[in-house]
Amino acid sequence: MKRKLRSGLSASLLAVAACVALHSPYSLAARDAQTILKETCQGCHTPEADNALSRISHQRKTPEGWLMSIARMQIMHGLQISDDDRRTLVKYLADTQGLAPSETDGVRYALERRLNTVEKFDDQTSQMCGRCHSGARVALQRRPAQEWERLVNFHLGQWPSLEYQALSRDRDWFDLARKEMVPLLAKRYPLDNPAWKKWLSAAPKAESFVGDWSFSGHLPGKGELAGVMSVGAAGDDTFKVSVKGQYADGTPFNGDGSAILYTGYEWRGNVTIDGVTMRQVFAAQGSAMQGRMFEAEHDERGLDFVAAKQGSSRLLAVQPGYLKAGAETEVTLIGSGLTGKPNFGKGVEVVEVLEQSPERMRVKLKAATNAQPGLRNVTVGTLKGPTLSVYSEIAEVKVVPEFSVARIGEGGGSTPKVQGRFDAEAWGKGADGKPYRIGVFPAQWSVEAFDDRAKEDEDVKFAGTMQADSGVFTPGDAGPNPQRKMSTNNAGNLKVIAAVDDAGKSLTGEGHMIVTVQRWNNPPIP
């Protein structure tokens, strides 16, 4: 194996290049994966029985996980590998040693770059592993006990100071990692899993994804959108992609790009929307896709995405998803195979069907004055779909995300700012007194000092600016600020406040936002 690190290629630039590679189709001119493994990897990874290689053959990972492993070989061990060979290798390893859809359930937020997710792992995993990186990074790989132990040894060898850091110097970290975490991880995330073998035998062919897809989405700070994504074949497991849609306010959402399918369901795409490149990270199974689209340079600017292949029958969304008792409104149903009469449940009358096609239905609704507050099951013919919220008054407003991190940037440097983006969720109380989510409402947004220290440091003045009508917070510039005490930077500790008007009554909700320094290390799995 060649051991010289490519000249001038920093870890951060390599991470960017690697991420671009993951979302780009591989070249047909690249060497085949077996040749790459033999000629590039076998110098360090020794052959074993059944054409296996040490270490490599005893792990299963997502495409991002394999990409990070190869990038680590480049950064730490001087591996030289071309972009085409890296793409080919990631594709091969993800297809043959990946994760089944059921094995990524609950932790796809890390792949989808939902970086304000508050993880919920047991205390032991959070303290032993999650103090340095996400618990999802651990949960998105599979190893036998021996490989988990080698991973522990790698951590201590590569970062010997970790035993002296918080949540490790107060305990025998190495002993606990070997004797308690290794058996736990081997049991929880084993290499051998019937779910993976079953998926390998049943994974759909890439051609099943060719066609038109109806989609629905929501972008915090902007609102709901819908449209059609057209998918055409471009080669083995690769696609041409065209998106045509619009937001509820009429803003177009149009663009073209390409995508690649890993592991039979892991959809990764690059689509340029109005000159801005957006990544697609979807789980694509059968006639359904679900995941997130986000800007390549600003992963915080992302939208939830759900789609159904035209020709199938599925009700995806009701936009907007709420109706006030005694009021009339227009709603749009998004899906595929929408035939038959729409029904919105007790107390909700369909006044008129204004527009109807298999992918879109626009309906005028009226809720009875005495309609019971709560959720209604929505149906179109025999199709069951999302719910419609009927409410008489808003009981509570919640800021989503409740806790978030924004980051200063630019200011003469190359690192972009990371915005805070928020929604105001209205909640009601049902007839049974239990709370239920009504939906996202327009709000007036502001920020305040989170505590006395933030007030004393004038964090509201320096940390950034909140757009009052959108819930989008733009942090201040990076670097020292001579206007601040001791010329510190523009970090801050802020309350995020949303004020929602409900028939002349103002209700507020609060969230918490930390405005901190630049994100220098930005791996595909945080």
Side-chain angles (χ1 to χ4, degrees), residues 286-342:
S287 59
M289 286 192 195
Q290 188 164 356
R292 189 166 180 261
M293 286 183 68
F294 52 88
E295 292 186 17
E297 299 298 324
H298 286 274
D299 51 27
E300 77 276 16
R301 300 178 190 168
L303 56 95
D304 296 325
F305 182 100
V306 61
K309 190 175 182 184
Q310 293 183 8
S312 65
S313 296
R314 191 176 178 205
L315 178 55
L316 294 173
V318 182
Q319 300 179 350
Y322 53 83
L323 173 62
K324 189 166 186 174
E328 285 191 10
T329 192
E330 288 184 12
V331 301
T332 302
L333 306 181
I334 307 298
S336 179
L338 303 182
T339 59
K341 293 183 178 180

Side-chain angles (χ1 to χ4, degrees), residues 61-121:
K61 301 179 182 181
T62 62
E64 286 82 0
W66 284 118
L67 185 66
M68 289 174 67
S69 293
I70 297 171
R72 187 169 63 249
M73 297 301 105
Q74 292 181 262
I75 294 168
M76 296 181 176
H77 300 293
L79 168 67
Q80 287 190 339
I81 185 170
S82 70
D83 290 345
D84 281 342
D85 281 357
R86 184 172 56 209
R87 291 188 187 100
T88 299
L89 201 53
V90 168
K91 180 75 170 75
Y92 173 80
L93 291 170
D95 287 350
T96 59
Q97 295 172 224
L99 300 186
S102 61
E103 293 180 301
T104 68
D105 280 351
V107 285
R108 295 194 63 83
Y109 58 83
L111 303 176
E112 295 169 0
R113 311 296 295 172
R114 300 178 188 270
L115 300 186
N116 285 317
T117 301
V118 178
E119 294 190 306
K120 296 180 180 178
F121 284 88

Side-chain angles (χ1 to χ4, degrees), residues 464-480:
T465 304
M466 174 66 82
Q467 293 179 19
D469 60 346
S470 69
V472 175
F473 179 87
T474 302
D477 290 342

Side-chain angles (χ1 to χ4, degrees), residues 8 56 78 127 179 186 272 324 332 339 415 420 457 496 501 512 524:
I56 296 174
Q127 293 173 7
K179 294 180 179 179
T272 301
K324 189 166 186 174
T332 302
T339 59
T415 305
D457 290 342
V496 177
D501 179 78
H512 184 192

Side-chain angles (χ1 to χ4, degrees), residues 35 180 456:
T35 300
E180 295 186 13
E456 179 184 342

Side-chain angles (χ1 to χ4, degrees), residues 8 12 19 43 59 80 105 112 158 232 274 294 340 358 381 405 434 477 524:
S12 59
C19 195
Q59 302 176 32
Q80 287 190 339
D105 280 351
E112 295 169 0
Q158 192 66 47
D274 296 326
F294 52 88
V405 175
K434 294 181 179 179
D477 290 342

Side-chain angles (χ1 to χ4, degrees), residues 20 23-24 229 239-245 252-259 269-280 293-297 303:
V20 170
H23 291 75
S24 303
M229 182 173 77
F239 309 94
K240 296 175 292 184
V241 178
S242 177
V243 174
K244 187 173 183 179
F253 187 80
N254 303 326
D256 299 284
S258 61
N270 279 327
V271 178
T272 301
I273 306 289
D274 296 326
V276 177
T277 300
M278 298 191 75
R279 310 280 193 223
Q280 294 180 324
M293 286 183 68
F294 52 88
E295 292 186 17
E297 299 298 324
L303 56 95

Side-chain angles (χ1 to χ4, degrees), residues 11 16 41 92 110 117 155 164 179 183 187 194 210 298 302 312 328 340 342 350 365 410 423 487 496 505 518 520:
V16 171
C41 305
Y92 173 80
T117 301
H155 275 68
Y164 305 102
K179 294 180 179 179
K187 181 179 180 180
V210 173
H298 286 274
S312 65
E328 285 191 10
V350 176
L365 300 180
E410 301 170 9
D423 277 331
S487 292
V496 177
K505 179 183 177 182
Q518 301 97 309
W520 300 113

